[in-house]
Amino acid sequence: IGSYGPLMIHAISRPDFIAMKTLAGRAQDLEDLNHLEPRPDEIAFARDYLNTLAFKGTSQDQIDDALALLDSLEPDSP
């Protein structure tokens, strides 16, 4: 976003934000995701990211829960 002397301000991207909210999976995150209405490409990005987390120490149960949540966000989902 900008540099202010030695301070650099960054912002998270929308796809990264969606992946983060999906992994957290709290009630507020679910509400936020419903309001965000992620596009198919953003869901695909989040899915790809989540599939890398097992190598970084995230439990497979948490990853599976997040992937199930992503499935529910798919536009074709019932």
Side-chain angles (χ1 to χ4, degrees):
I1 292 183
S3 296
Y4 306 93
L7 178 65
M8 292 185 68
I9 307 294
H10 300 272
I12 189 169
S13 71
R14 182 178 155 94
D16 284 321
F17 186 65
I18 290 165
M20 178 188 74
K21 289 284 189 179
T22 304
L23 185 62
R26 301 166 297 208
Q28 182 62 52
D29 298 312
L30 301 177
E31 186 177 326
D32 293 343
L33 286 165
N34 284 326
H35 288 295
L36 285 168
E37 298 180 358
R39 298 183 315 258
D41 63 309
E42 294 169 329
I43 292 171
F45 172 89
R47 183 172 282 109
D48 290 344
Y49 174 73
L50 290 168
N51 284 320
T52 70
L53 293 180
F55 301 108
K56 298 178 182 180
T58 303
S59 77
Q60 190 61 51
D61 287 342
Q62 188 177 12
I63 294 168
D64 290 344
D65 289 346
L67 290 170
L69 175 56
L70 277 181
D71 289 342
S72 75
L73 296 174
E74 290 281 3
D76 300 331
S77 293

